[in-house]
Amino acid sequence: MRYFNNFYAYYTPSGRWELLALADVGLQAYQAALTPASVWFTSNAIARYKLAPEWALAGRVELYSDERGVIFASRAPDTERFTAYGGSLNLDYSPAAHLRLRLEHRLLASPSNSFTDRRGNATGLNHFIIASLSARF
């Protein structure tokens, strides 16, 4: 059986600032009585500043922990454990209330070299730049 909870706190101290704290916690119980349950969690803190009605800049710091590799598969040899921390910066453009274009640079670090580089070698860093378009209906 798998259980999952998402907790968050949202605060807008002004019309331009938005602050968000998130924590996701999961537990997976197994049928075998001798197998202990697996627990994983993520946490994030996000700050977003509206530069103008259509433009916003945001930053995020995050932590992931999955001791038994239930959700995140580790690329590190001889371990199931996945632990990573990181952050991102993004620029959002919203030309309409239901559309958002985002450009984001994200960096994740893992002390156990849980990522792979372009050649398939284990590495402790993973960074990427992504662009996305989202629509809300």
Side-chain angles (χ1 to χ4, degrees):
M1 183 66 74
R2 185 175 282 180
Y3 305 94
F4 180 79
N5 283 296
N6 174 257
F7 305 99
Y8 63 92
Y10 183 73
Y11 177 60
T12 53
S14 72
R16 291 188 178 262
W17 282 101
E18 298 174 1
L19 305 173
L20 182 61
L22 299 133
D24 299 330
V25 180
L27 179 133
Q28 181 162 318
Y30 300 94
Q31 288 183 343
L34 298 177
T35 305
S38 298
V39 176
W40 69 92
F41 69 89
T42 67
S43 57
N44 292 280
I46 301 168
R48 186 169 189 259
Y49 181 75
K50 284 190 169 188
L51 300 166
E54 303 88 14
W55 293 91
L57 188 63
R60 173 177 62 201
V61 293
E62 54 198 328
L63 170 67
Y64 299 93
S65 179
D66 185 358
E67 293 289 321
R68 300 195 53 209
V70 175
I71 301 298
F72 300 103
S74 176
R75 299 286 186 211
D78 304 323
T79 184
E80 295 178 329
R81 175 179 293 166
F82 178 86
T83 302
Y85 51 89
S88 67
L89 291 173
N90 61 273
L91 179 65
D92 293 340
Y93 174 64
S94 300
H98 65 286
L99 291 175
R100 178 174 293 166
L101 176 64
R102 172 172 287 174
L103 181 62
E104 179 175 9
H105 179 253
R106 192 167 180 191
L107 173 70
L108 293 172
S110 171
S112 60
N113 291 336
S114 294
F115 306 111
T116 53
D117 63 16
R118 292 180 183 177
R119 295 180 198 100
N121 300 319
T123 182
L125 289 176
N126 185 358
H127 68 93
F128 46 94
I129 297 173
I130 58 174
S132 63
L133 175 64
S134 60
R136 185 177 49 198
F137 299 99

